[in-house]
Amino acid sequence: MNVSAAIRHHARYGLHVVASACAIFIATSGMPIIAHAKGPQVDEAAHTPAAVIAVDEHWLRAEEDGDTAWLGAMLLPDFRTINHDGKVVTKSMLLKSTAKNRGSDKMRKRIDAWRKTHPSRKAVVMHGDVAILSFVNPQTGHIWSSDIFVYENGHWRALYSQQSASKG
């Protein structure tokens, strides 16, 4: 399998990150590390780039499944996301939207369609208890989106997310 095929697992759709697949690239110290989604579970409470990515993947599943309890606990009270056309979405707005996904596969289908046309790789930069997770088009180097996480009380919690209007 080539690298491009291995990373066609992640992109942005609508309000949040699209994730899951066979490989994840973590940019740390300039050295890519490949972590297989089917491999061992990553401890989401660890203070590592891999844990940030695991929390982000859990975030996607929570939105897909309508898991507002988990999502509400992971998002910081002042969480904001800016979507690709500049609109602000607050924590309460995201939770309300997520609740609509319970028992429906509509979001999952939209995410799958997005993934097919928007390849990306994940890059994590950490500074103390702050992590920035960016989703980069591997062909152009343009950033599709970025999420900012804060490590608080032994857990990664999302503070901010922004999608790009870049066409790739």
Side-chain angles (χ1 to χ4, degrees):
M1 174 185 325
N2 68 34
V3 170
S4 182
I7 60 176
R8 283 183 213 272
H9 70 282
H10 190 76
R12 279 273 190 197
Y13 186 84
L15 297 177
H16 187 61
V17 174
V18 176
S20 97
C22 55
I24 298 165
F25 282 77
I26 306 167
T28 57
S29 307
M31 185 82 175
I33 301 168
I34 298 174
H36 296 281
K38 301 277 188 205
Q41 292 289 353
V42 174
D43 178 6
E44 292 183 16
H47 196 277
T48 65
V52 172
I53 289 173
V55 168
D56 192 77
E57 290 173 353
H58 195 161
W59 182 351
L60 172 67
R61 289 189 311 276
E63 280 196 55
E64 285 179 337
D65 299 337
D67 185 353
T68 56
W70 184 88
L71 189 60
M74 189 276 299
L75 299 173
L76 286 166
D78 294 330
F79 171 82
R80 296 284 183 275
T81 186
I82 312 300
N83 66 21
H84 65 279
D85 56 358
K87 294 180 184 169
V88 175
V89 177
T90 64
K91 176 180 178 174
S92 62
M93 293 165 70
L94 181 56
L95 291 172
K96 184 176 180 181
S97 173
T98 296
K100 294 176 185 176
N101 296 330
R102 269 188 221 120
S104 171
D105 66 349
K106 188 176 179 179
M107 176 73 129
R108 192 168 287 113
K109 287 179 181 179
R110 290 178 9 190
I111 288 168
D112 289 344
W114 178 267
R115 266 191 226 136
K116 290 178 183 177
T117 59
H118 295 80
S120 75
R121 67 177 168 82
K122 297 177 185 180
V124 177
V125 175
M126 292 179 64
H127 183 79
D129 290 338
V130 176
I132 301 171
L133 172 58
S134 295
F135 306 90
V136 182
N137 180 325
Q139 284 85 31
T140 66
H142 294 166
I143 294 177
W144 298 112
S145 63
S146 292
D147 296 333
I148 298 174
F149 291 89
V150 177
Y151 194 75
E152 187 176 87
N153 299 320
H155 300 282
W156 287 107
R157 299 185 66 202
L159 176 63
Y160 183 81
S161 178
Q162 184 162 351
Q163 291 84 50
S164 169
S166 171
K167 301 296 183 209

